[in-house]
Amino acid sequence: MTTIKERLDILKAGDVISSEASTIAEQAVQRLSSQTHKPLPQNKVEMLVTHLASALTRISRGESIDAPPDELILVIEKSDLIQVAKREISWIQSNWAEEIPQSEIAFLKIHYVSIFQEIK
């Protein structure tokens, strides 16, 4: 099993993500670990870190993706964990120089809510 750092290093070596995006993604996971005080679901954290680093790299390269389906966004927005997810995304936004598009934020909400649901 690869660690988060190893996963990010592989993505950087393949020029899939930037060093800056890797740093923010790694810090986001460290922040998550320190705040929850519970074991994090490895597979979901790996999906989050991969998506986050890729999203930040896409933003810096001027690339975009389509948002997830509206139905899924509505379900996530109704979650009792959405405020915690928004807090984490707000931290990412405050540490990233460029504006994060709503489509990327929607995917990050999905990842964070999924993680928080599992450790709840």
Side-chain angles (χ1 to χ4, degrees):
M1 180 187 300
T2 60
T3 66
I4 296 299
K5 176 104 173 83
E6 290 169 334
R7 175 179 284 266
L8 290 168
D9 287 345
I10 290 167
L11 293 170
K12 278 192 301 187
D15 197 34
V16 175
I17 64 169
S18 68
S19 292
E20 298 83 5
S22 175
T23 299
I24 294 294
E26 190 171 0
Q27 290 173 349
V29 171
Q30 289 169 352
R31 176 182 160 86
L32 195 55
S33 294
S34 68
Q35 290 182 356
T36 59
H37 305 292
K38 292 181 180 182
L40 298 173
Q42 183 71 21
N43 62 330
K44 291 184 178 183
V45 171
E46 288 173 358
M47 288 190 294
L48 167 67
V49 78
T50 301
H51 184 94
L52 175 56
S54 298
L56 297 176
T57 301
R58 274 192 298 276
I59 293 164
S60 66
R61 292 177 179 170
E63 300 168 359
S64 63
I65 61 169
D66 292 332
D70 290 340
E71 299 80 17
L72 182 54
I73 295 170
L74 289 172
V75 170
I76 292 298
E77 288 290 339
K78 290 179 184 176
S79 169
D80 59 339
L81 300 166
I82 191 63
Q83 292 308 317
V84 184
K86 286 180 178 180
R87 182 187 68 215
E88 296 306 307
I89 294 165
S90 178
W91 177 87
I92 294 165
Q93 288 175 308
S94 69
N95 286 278
W96 189 249
E98 299 172 71
E99 184 177 344
I100 300 175
Q102 288 304 309
S103 58
E104 297 289 5
I105 290 172
F107 278 109
L108 292 174
K109 287 177 183 176
I110 293 166
H111 287 294
Y112 273 110
V113 167
S114 177
I115 290 169
F116 291 133
Q117 284 175 333
E118 190 158 325
I119 60 176
K120 185 176 168 183

